[in-house]
Amino acid sequence: MSRLHVVSGKGGTGKTTVAAALALALATEGRRTLLVEVEGRQGIAQLFETEALPYEERKIAVGPASEGAAPWGPSGAPSAGDPARGGGGRRAGGEVHALAIDAERALLDYLQMFYKLGSAGRALKKLGAIDFATTIAPGLRDVLLTGKACEAVRRKDKNGKFVYDAVVMDAPPTGRITRFLNVNDEVAGLAKIGPIHNQAQAVMRVLKSPETAVHLVTLLEEMPVQETADGVEELRAAGIPVGGIVINMTRPALLDNGDLDSAARDARGGVAKALSQAGLGGARRGGLAERLIDPLLEQAREHTERVELERAEHAELTGLGLPTYELELLPEGVDLAGLYHLARDLRKQGPI
């Protein structure tokens, strides 16, 4: 069986970006990954700067180059002649395919697979029966969405080799992830026997296997960290394997308390002189340079307070006993080049 990586996180933490970077990071040395979206937001298409994904698996990228492999642009994204852009050259990484799973289409597949309904299934769609079914039985919708991803994990080609080395799922937020994945419990009241019951059990065999890992994305802020801790506890209680914690959008600590204390205690005159030498006014009392000192010290205090809070949140995360990975904040935002940059950072931090 190939490996299933489920990526979740509180809204606003960048879970879709991390899922995409992880799929790229795993697509190395000929390996194939499938990046799956289940929320219908087309976030993957936006990140990879491509058209909206249909309900079919489509190649969207090539993984980052290994050391000394094919040429890459200075930003880390493929250069114009690289296969990731469709040109010539030597392939450096594996392939990233993507799929936006649609619950309605997945149900049609399911009806055809188990009941051979064919055109009758399409008639049900026209009558609105499919929307009705997934509305009154939301657990069924989750079975369909997770089932499609788990099918890709188990799928083999005609030679008996797994089609994908890894499947990465951009999953719902942390507050809903355990219920979304624990589909066996969700459908227990719907069907005790039969195809739906069997499908749910097959899904759970994948989701609770050692080949599955749920990774939680967070920021070094109180609410995302608390939701991450709660999510880890819920997943563990449900028997679903937890992988690692990805701390996203980290920022460097420019000052610590010692630097601030030194500046406040000793360096007012020296700071004024340095500002003056930089062309920011004279160092005399009441001059522009001196007037800049207090605002600068206030910014330093705010920065130091942020650093201390982030250290406390970081300690809480490491206390969960899981591997942690850190991705820096990209000041210009995440474009395609930035995505490759994050993928390289994940690879450098070891297996995930």
Side-chain angles (χ1 to χ4, degrees), residues 270-303:
V271 170
K273 183 177 180 181
L275 291 172
S276 176
Q277 290 174 345
L280 296 175
R284 66 185 183 280
R285 181 177 297 277
L288 175 61
E290 186 179 81
R291 294 198 302 272
L292 288 174
I293 294 176
D294 286 334
L296 286 172
L297 289 177
E298 180 60 28
Q299 286 188 21
R301 291 188 191 94
E302 292 176 357
H303 173 78

Side-chain angles (χ1 to χ4, degrees), residues 219-240:
L219 306 178
L220 289 177
E221 298 174 4
E222 184 178 0
M223 288 184 64
V225 168
Q226 184 59 55
E227 192 163 309
T228 298
D230 293 343
V232 169
E233 183 179 356
E234 291 174 2
L235 288 164
R236 284 172 169 168
I240 298 173

Side-chain angles (χ1 to χ4, degrees), residues 78 100 110 113 143 170 182 191 226 238 244 246 250 257 274 299 327 335:
Y110 176 86
M113 183 184 305
V143 170
D170 177 21
N182 206 17
Q226 184 59 55
V246 181
T250 62
N257 278 329
Q299 286 188 21
L327 294 176
D335 56 9

